[in-house]
């Protein structure tokens, strides 16, 4: 790995931003970005899929975002909010002069309507709605959020780019189904041809922040005329496209192709550590609604073998149980005893015998667009069948998976992954309404105490109790930690490696 790639890898580990490579920044040109497939929607409120967030973060913006150190930074808000001494009132000043793609000016009326839509239809909004008493416009450029109880994750939830609290015109926000994709972002929707491309074009009247760029925060320059997101569902086709230099950026490449890409026409980009693969359990109905059955799955899976099959070398993964690596403040080993890198087949069989499992097929929902998902599903199938389960792999397109997982009648386990998020309460299973539908008194007690605590050090301590409940009630199975690989053209500059790649501030070197 050359020094440039080592620097990028280290920057991701540290959560820092990188300076742009020293070339003259130039306006113009179009880039092609290969993605893992066609997004199920372009409404980021209604989806937690990374693919949706990657594309739509260029079109829509939130009140806050994350800077290069994963701290909350203002975006459409003028500054961080004023928070009352009791932690119940957030007064948010809005930036003046922000314009929507339709030419109208953003005001507090739009923000209130947008936040009300988010609280009504987004999974993370529904999670937040439980503590929100009101959202009100104080004047044209001031919004006030009133809570029923202190809620520490609020600003992080308002910052994320999926299930996102985007700001859209009030007349659009009144509808649960979005038909017009009008935001405030640096790029706007030009043309969408399903299964061919999504074309975004420069929004000439974009109002950028004036601060230096840092992570997703700060100034957003629009050097590129167009960004075309091209769905390439087959992983091998993405690899070949990267090697041939067919695309300017290729997302989600199997890590075993790293050396091959390095010898081709684009440069590999390593994101380390990137995140964690996870098997989400359907706790609402079906065979996984029984806790003992979930514990049998937990005991029967062999994380190391699954990761080895998926990533090929320990250079790219670590079979570790804590929900966060030891480089994160949230790292704790509380409650991880049930995690066994090699699995425990004897315990799995014993738990299965005690459970309510009736021999019905365990339907594992997965996709080959993320090839490592499918590979882990195959290994899981073998181990679970050895433990006594009947297993059925349902392999579908990623867009289909994100639709099916919303119906508890259609699956028992689905496979996904997540970057290591800066706030644990952003994790999907923390929401009672997120697919999996994990609801319990123990969860609410531990998570409620964690979310209500404002002191950062105390929150770190309270996170341990939340992790203990996750391992005790098994709403999901964390497989381990993994690195991710992408590919980037050598003449695409101004890019910082990021879990959700963004192309404002990027430009084509002359």
């Amino acid at each position: 790995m050359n020094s440039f790639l080592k620097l990028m890898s280290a920057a991701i580990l540290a959560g820092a931003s990188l300076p742009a490579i020293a070339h003259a920044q130039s306006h113009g040109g179009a880039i092609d970005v290969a993605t893992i497939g066609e997004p199920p929607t372009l409404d980021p409120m209604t989806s937690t899929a990374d693919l949706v967030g990657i594309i739509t973060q260029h079109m829509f913006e939130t009140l806050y975002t994350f800077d290069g150190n994963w701290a909350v930074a203002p975006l459409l808000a003028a500054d961080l909010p004023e928070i009352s001494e009791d932690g119940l009132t957030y007064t948010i000043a809005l930036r003046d002069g922000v314009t929507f793609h339709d030419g109208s000016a953003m005001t507090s009326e739009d923000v209130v309507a947008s936040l009300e839509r988010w609280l009504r239809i987004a999974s993370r909004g529904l999670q937040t709605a439980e503590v929100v008493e009101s959202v009100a416009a104080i004047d044209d450029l001031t919004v006030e959020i009133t809570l029923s109880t202190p809620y520490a994750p609020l600003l992080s939830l308002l910052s994320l780019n999926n299930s996102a609290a985007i700001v859209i015109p009030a007349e659009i926000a009144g509808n649960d189904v979005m038909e017009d994709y009008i935001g405030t972002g640096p790029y706007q929707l030009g043309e969408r041809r399903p299964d061919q491309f999504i074309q975004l074009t420069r929004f000439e009247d974009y109002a950028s922040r004036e601060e230096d760029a840092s992570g997703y925060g700060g100034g957003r320059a629009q050097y590129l005329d167009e960004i075309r997101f091209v769905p390439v569902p087959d992983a091998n086709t993405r690899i070949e496209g990267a090697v041939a230099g067919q695309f300017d950026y290729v997302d989600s490449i199997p890590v075993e192709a790293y050396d091959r890409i390095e010898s081709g026409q684009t440069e590999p980009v390593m994101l380390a550590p990137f995140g964690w693969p996870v098997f989400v359990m359907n706790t609402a109905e079906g065979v996984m609604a029984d806790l003992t059955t979930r514990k049998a799955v937990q005991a029967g899976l062999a994380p190391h073998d699954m990761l080895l099959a998926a990533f090929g070398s320990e250079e790219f993964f670590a079979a570790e149980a804590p929900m966060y690596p030891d480089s994160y403040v949230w790292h704790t080993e509380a409650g991880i005893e049930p995690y066994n890198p090699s699995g425990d087949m004897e315990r799995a069989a014993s738990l299965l015998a005690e459970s309510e499992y009736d021999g019905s097929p365990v339907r594992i929902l997965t996709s080959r667009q993320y090839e490592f998902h499918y590979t882990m599903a195959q290994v899981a199938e073998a181990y679970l069948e050895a433990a006594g389960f009947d297993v059925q792999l349902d392999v579908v397109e990623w867009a289909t998976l994100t639709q099916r997982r919303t119906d508890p009648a259609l699956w028992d386990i689905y496979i996904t992954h997540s970057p290591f998020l800066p706030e644990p309460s952003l994790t999907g299973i923390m929401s009672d309404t997120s697919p999996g539908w994990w609801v319990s008194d123990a969860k609410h007690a531990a998570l409620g105490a964690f979310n209500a605590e404002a002191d950062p050090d105390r929150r770190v301590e309270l996170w341990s109790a939340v992790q203990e409940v996750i391992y005790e009630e098994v709403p999901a199975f964390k497989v381990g930690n993994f690195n991710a690989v992408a590919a980037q053209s050598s003449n695409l500059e101004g890019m910082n490696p990021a879990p959700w790649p963004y192309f404002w501030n990027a430009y084509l070197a002359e």
Side-chain angles (χ1 to χ4, degrees):
M1 192 185 304
N2 65 36
S3 58
F4 174 62
L5 296 177
K6 287 180 180 177
L7 175 61
M8 290 196 292
S9 179
I12 286 295
L13 183 61
S17 292
L18 288 173
I21 303 301
H23 286 291
Q25 296 170 347
S26 59
H27 285 76
I31 62 169
D32 289 323
V33 178
T35 67
I36 60 101
E38 182 72 15
T41 179
L42 290 181
D43 180 355
M45 277 198 195
T46 62
S47 177
T48 59
D50 285 346
L51 174 59
V52 174
I54 288 170
I55 296 172
T56 61
Q57 65 187 344
H58 298 82
M59 303 159 56
F60 302 106
E61 294 179 313
T62 47
L63 291 172
Y64 301 98
T65 188
F66 295 109
D67 68 15
N69 294 310
W70 291 108
V72 171
L75 185 53
L76 291 176
D79 207 336
L80 293 176
E82 294 182 8
I83 304 174
S84 62
E85 190 173 341
D86 61 6
L88 299 181
T89 303
Y90 286 64
T91 303
I92 301 170
L94 307 177
R95 291 170 55 206
D96 194 5
V98 174
T99 304
F100 288 111
H101 297 154
D102 64 358
S104 61
M106 182 194 76
T107 70
S108 58
E109 178 187 2
D110 303 301
V111 174
V112 170
S114 298
L115 292 180
E116 288 175 342
R117 182 179 190 263
W118 180 67
L119 293 167
R120 186 173 69 244
I121 70 170
S123 61
R124 292 189 174 95
L126 289 165
Q127 173 185 351
T128 310
E130 297 175 3
V131 300
V132 173
E133 285 195 345
S134 65
V135 181
I138 304 304
D139 57 39
D140 284 350
L141 291 174
T142 310
V143 171
E144 185 175 88
I145 301 175
T146 304
L147 308 179
S148 59
T149 186
Y151 192 63
L154 178 62
L155 293 184
S156 292
L157 285 160
L158 292 174
S159 301
L160 200 62
N161 68 1
N162 60 67
S163 190
I166 58 169
V167 176
I168 53 181
E171 57 270 23
I172 296 176
N175 301 316
D176 287 357
V177 177
M178 184 181 290
E179 296 180 354
D180 297 311
Y181 301 99
I182 297 173
T184 61
Y187 289 87
Q188 58 191 342
L189 183 62
E191 182 180 5
R192 181 179 187 182
R193 295 187 186 179
D195 300 316
Q196 295 185 50
F197 62 82
I198 294 171
Q199 177 206 44
L200 304 185
T201 61
R202 181 193 292 116
F203 176 40
E204 297 292 353
D205 294 327
Y206 177 65
S208 175
R209 295 194 69 90
E210 296 182 358
E211 301 96 328
D212 291 342
S214 174
Y216 298 90
R220 296 182 170 186
Q222 314 143 275
Y223 298 119
L224 300 168
D225 292 331
E226 297 180 17
I227 307 168
R228 291 187 293 261
F229 293 94
V230 182
V232 186
D234 182 72
N236 288 326
T237 305
R238 291 199 299 279
I239 294 170
E240 295 305 319
V243 171
Q246 180 181 355
F247 303 102
D248 298 280
Y249 192 92
V250 183
D251 192 33
S252 191
I253 294 174
V255 294
E256 62 268 21
Y258 185 96
D259 290 340
R260 185 148 186 267
I261 294 167
E262 194 170 30
S263 64
Q265 299 300 307
T266 55
E267 298 176 346
V269 179
M270 176 81 80
L271 294 90
F274 175 80
W276 47 293
V278 59
F279 285 30
V280 179
M281 312 289 181
N282 180 353
T283 67
E285 63 181 74
V287 295
M288 290 299 126
D290 174 50
L291 174 57
T292 308
T293 304
R294 297 200 300 273
K295 286 180 174 289
V297 171
Q298 182 185 54
L301 294 175
H304 184 273
D305 287 357
M306 295 162 67
L307 293 163
L308 185 63
F311 301 108
S313 166
E314 292 189 0
E315 177 185 2
F316 299 115
F317 73 85
E320 295 181 359
M323 301 300 290
Y324 282 85
D326 60 10
S327 58
Y328 284 75
V329 69
W330 303 112
H331 175 79
T332 174
E333 297 190 359
I336 65 172
E337 292 78 14
Y339 183 94
N340 186 330
S342 301
D344 188 338
M345 199 60 62
E346 183 177 343
R347 175 169 169 74
S350 175
L351 286 165
L352 193 60
E354 298 171 10
S355 74
E356 298 177 4
Y357 178 62
D358 61 3
S360 300
V362 176
R363 298 159 299 168
I364 299 180
L365 189 60
T366 189
S367 170
R368 297 201 69 165
Q369 284 162 268
Y370 293 108
E371 188 68 19
F372 68 96
H373 290 188
Y374 176 67
T375 302
M376 288 189 298
Q378 290 180 303
V379 178
E381 178 184 29
Y383 272 91
L384 293 180
E385 287 181 342
F389 287 97
D390 181 16
V391 179
Q392 172 184 313
L393 290 189
D394 292 338
V395 185
V396 298
E397 294 290 307
W398 182 247
T400 302
L401 185 151
T402 62
Q403 293 167 347
R404 284 195 185 181
R405 69 184 179 185
T406 63
D407 185 345
L410 298 180
W411 60 278
D412 300 300
I413 298 172
Y414 83 85
I415 302 174
T416 186
H417 67 270
S418 173
F420 291 110
L421 300 170
E423 161 60 51
S425 289
L426 298 176
T427 304
I429 58 172
M430 302 306 175
S431 171
D432 290 354
T433 61
S434 181
W437 304 282
W438 176 39
V439 178
S440 77
D441 291 342
K443 170 190 176 179
H444 291 162
L447 190 59
F450 174 68
N451 287 339
E453 179 58 60
D455 179 73
D457 293 335
R458 180 62 180 146
R459 293 194 81 222
V460 170
E461 296 173 10
L462 291 170
W463 168 244
S464 296
V466 180
Q467 182 172 286
E468 287 178 350
V469 178
I470 292 171
Y471 272 96
E472 175 59 30
E473 299 196 345
V474 205
F477 180 86
K478 181 198 172 188
V479 185
N481 306 335
F482 78 102
N483 302 342
V485 171
Q488 180 178 325
S489 169
S490 60
N491 69 335
L492 178 62
E493 302 292 1
M495 287 283 297
N496 292 325
W500 307 290
Y502 54 91
F503 301 95
W504 59 82
N505 297 334
Y507 58 94
L508 293 168
E510 295 180 342

